[in-house]
């Protein structure tokens, strides 16, 4: 008697699991094309009876959103520098640095200069808070390292910070100045047309 009740209980669990899966799937198109989205595919679709596993516990919606957001590139918001007159790669580096370093509150872009980089929208100046302090110097170093790490993506030509001229190929010291801001120059990429999307 006890064995028979245990068998009936097992069948009830199997039937309940199958019913839950079919309900979740919404429709069944026939035994040759059974679609059960929440269960493991059947081992033998020719059989008229199969033991279906219970559906897996659904992933929490909040966890799903976090995982999904990490996989999908996100659009960068407008950064700290005025973007009028900047070329597309310069806008990308300006927005990316602004997003990566929220402690940066000011950046410069197009301005008159004897050299062509700023007037042509090829460069931005990342103003470092308290640039002479240990924390300010460390922040400037981090900005330079971030720009160099992403040099290919940004089209980075060079970075200048605290008397050092950095390029993707190496660095050299000299009379380059830039003790209160990090200067970043890109290869430009042309002026925006209005349809550009800048991704993280």
């Amino acid at each position: 008697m006890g064995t028979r009740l245990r068998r009936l209980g097992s069948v009830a669990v199997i039937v309940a699991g199958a019913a839950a899966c079919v309900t979740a799937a919404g429709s069944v198109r026939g035994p040759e094309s059974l679609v059960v989205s929440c269960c493991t595919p059947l081992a033998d679709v020719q059989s008229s009876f199969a033991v279906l596993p219970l559906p897996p516990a659904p992933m929490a919606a909040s966890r799903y959103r976090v995982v999904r957001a990490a996989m999908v590139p996100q659009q960068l918001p407008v950064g700290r520098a005025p973007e009028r007159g900047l070329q597309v790669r310069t806008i990308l580096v300006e927005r990316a640095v602004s997003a990566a370093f929220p402690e940066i509150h000011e950046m410069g872009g197009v301005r008159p200069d004897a050299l062509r980089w700023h007037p042509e929208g090829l460069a931005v100046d990342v103003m470092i808070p308290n640039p002479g302090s240990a924390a300010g110097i460390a922040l400037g170093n981090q900005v330079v390292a971030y720009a160099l790490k992403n040099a290919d993506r940004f089209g980075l030509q060079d970075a200048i910070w605290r008397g050092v001229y950095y390029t993707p190929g190496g660095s050299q010291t000299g009379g380059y100045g830039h003790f209160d801001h990090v200067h970043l120059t890109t290869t430009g990429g042309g002026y925006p047309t209005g349809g550009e999307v800048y991704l993280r």
Side-chain angles (χ1 to χ4, degrees), residues 10 13-22 34 36 39-43 49-55:
S10 298
V13 168
I14 291 167
V15 171
C21 288
V22 170
L34 179 64
V36 182
C39 299
T40 305
L42 300 178
F49 177 78
V51 177
L52 299 175
L54 291 174

Side-chain angles (χ1 to χ4, degrees), residues 59-130:
M59 183 184 289
S62 60
R63 184 175 169 204
Y64 175 78
R65 282 194 296 271
V66 169
V67 171
R68 185 76 178 143
M71 295 187 304
V72 177
Q74 297 176 343
Q75 189 168 338
L76 285 164
V78 174
R80 299 290 185 188
E83 294 182 351
R84 184 180 177 89
L86 294 181
Q87 295 195 33
V88 292
R89 291 180 185 139
T90 314
I91 293 172
L92 175 60
V93 74
E94 174 260 336
R95 290 189 180 193
V97 168
S98 295
F101 300 94
E103 57 269 62
I104 301 292
H105 299 292
E106 185 182 351
M107 294 175 73
V110 175
R111 60 174 170 78
D113 194 76
L115 300 174
R116 69 186 189 95
W117 315 118
H118 282 289
E120 293 183 12
L122 297 167
V124 290
D125 290 331
V126 181
M127 305 309 295
I128 303 298
N130 303 310

Side-chain angles (χ1 to χ4, degrees), residues 169-184:
S171 63
Q172 59 188 35
T173 58
Y176 300 106
H178 298 79
F179 286 88
D180 63 347
H181 69 275
V182 176
H183 170 97
L184 300 173

